[in-house]
């Protein structure tokens, strides 16, 4: 089914019925599953538990009544929250990912968190460009995080840690680190 290139009317909710969510997950293509590996290898019951019973604060993006995106925040400590985000393939690259991520950033800032962070595989250049554009700072690399096969050869994917800081101390604790790794991050 085709999608207009203009943004459709949307709403962001905190709840959705389980069947709608599982239908949403079933729309993921192999690339979406590769980049959003939260549900990799999980049964339907395990996915439902992870989303609805694991202490996540969920955000569901609905377009014209249809579930098109999912994001979550996980409280790490009194000042840090972790996020994850995925848009169903037919709505990718239409501006809904940035819209939902900005919503998460504003929610975290307004809730008093000082840092929001996420992780992204090194081959997800679309997400990396978005995080950079929105002001996320590169924090580190988890080398050889996922084993995969490419062109019949065993290889590994690396996971980048990226964060955005809010408040008075913004930037003060990591400027040296950012300068040291500047070439790596700018050459993505």
């Amino acid at each position: 089914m085709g999608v207009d290139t203009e943004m459709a009317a949307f709403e962001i909710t905190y709840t959705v019925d389980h069947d709608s969510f599982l239908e949403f997950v079933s729309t993921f293509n192999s690339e979406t599953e590769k980049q959003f590996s939260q549900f990799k290898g999980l049964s339907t019951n395990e996915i439902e538990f992870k989303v609805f019973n694991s202490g996540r604060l969920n955000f569901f993006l609905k377009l014209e009544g249809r579930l098109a995106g999912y994001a979550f925040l996980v409280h790490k400590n009194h000042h840090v929250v972790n996020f994850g985000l995925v848009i169903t393939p037919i709505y990718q690259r239409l501006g809904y990912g940035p819209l939902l991520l900005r919503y998460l950033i504003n929610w975290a800032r307004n809730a008093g968190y000082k840092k929001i962070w996420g992780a992204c595989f090194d081959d997800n250049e679309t997400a990396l460009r978005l995080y950079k554009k929105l002001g996320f700072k590169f924090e580190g690399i988890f080398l050889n995080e996922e084993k995969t096969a490419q062109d019949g050869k065993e290889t590994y994917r690396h996971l980048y840690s990226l964060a955005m800081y809010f408040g008075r101390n913004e930037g003060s604790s990591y400027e040296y680190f950012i300068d040291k790794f500047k070439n790596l991050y700018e050459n993505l």
Side-chain angles (χ1 to χ4, degrees):
M1 173 162 112
V3 176
D4 290 334
T5 56
E6 290 186 29
M7 281 192 146
F10 70 90
E11 70 174 317
I12 297 174
T13 65
Y14 299 103
T15 59
V16 70
D17 68 86
H18 293 221
D19 290 337
S20 294
F21 187 79
L22 293 174
E23 181 182 325
F24 165 75
V25 171
S26 75
T27 68
F28 292 4
N29 58 25
S30 61
E31 183 63 19
T32 301
E33 289 175 347
K34 176 183 170 187
Q35 299 302 347
F36 187 79
S37 57
Q38 291 282 317
F39 306 137
K40 187 176 185 175
L42 298 182
S43 70
T44 299
N45 288 340
E46 291 168 322
I47 291 171
E48 285 184 295
F49 181 83
K50 190 169 193 171
V51 172
F52 298 107
N53 299 310
S54 65
R56 291 178 171 194
L57 177 58
N58 294 313
F59 302 84
F60 301 98
L61 174 68
K62 291 183 178 180
L63 302 173
E64 299 169 348
R66 237 171 100 185
L67 188 56
Y70 165 64
F72 64 86
L73 294 174
V74 176
H75 173 84
K76 291 298 182 185
N77 60 47
H78 69 282
H79 71 281
V80 178
V81 66
N82 172 241
F83 78 92
L85 178 137
V86 63
I87 303 294
T88 193
I90 65 168
Y91 290 109
Q92 291 174 0
R93 293 177 177 75
L94 297 175
Y96 295 108
L99 180 137
L100 191 51
L101 184 53
R102 284 183 181 102
Y103 190 91
L104 293 178
I105 291 165
N106 289 331
W107 192 98
R109 181 184 291 121
N110 292 336
Y113 287 99
K114 300 300 180 199
K115 174 181 173 181
I116 181 171
W117 76 272
C120 180
F121 284 108
D122 60 333
D123 59 352
N124 192 347
E125 291 183 15
T126 301
L128 289 168
R129 276 192 293 278
L130 171 62
Y131 300 149
K132 185 176 179 181
K133 179 181 176 182
L134 293 181
F136 280 80
K137 304 295 184 188
F138 175 80
E139 287 196 316
I141 303 172
F142 297 92
L143 295 173
N144 301 337
E145 189 67 17
E146 183 178 90
K147 188 175 181 178
T148 186
Q150 186 175 334
D151 300 324
K153 289 179 158 180
E154 188 177 281
T155 186
Y156 292 90
R157 296 171 73 204
H158 312 297
L159 197 62
Y160 294 144
S161 175
L162 300 131
M164 179 180 284
Y165 296 81
F166 313 121
R168 210 177 92 189
N169 294 324
E170 188 170 333
S172 63
S173 64
Y174 60 83
E175 288 304 321
Y176 172 77
F177 179 78
I178 293 298
D179 289 342
K180 186 174 179 182
F181 290 96
K182 187 175 181 181
N183 285 336
L184 172 66
Y185 189 64
E186 287 182 349
N187 292 316
L188 292 175

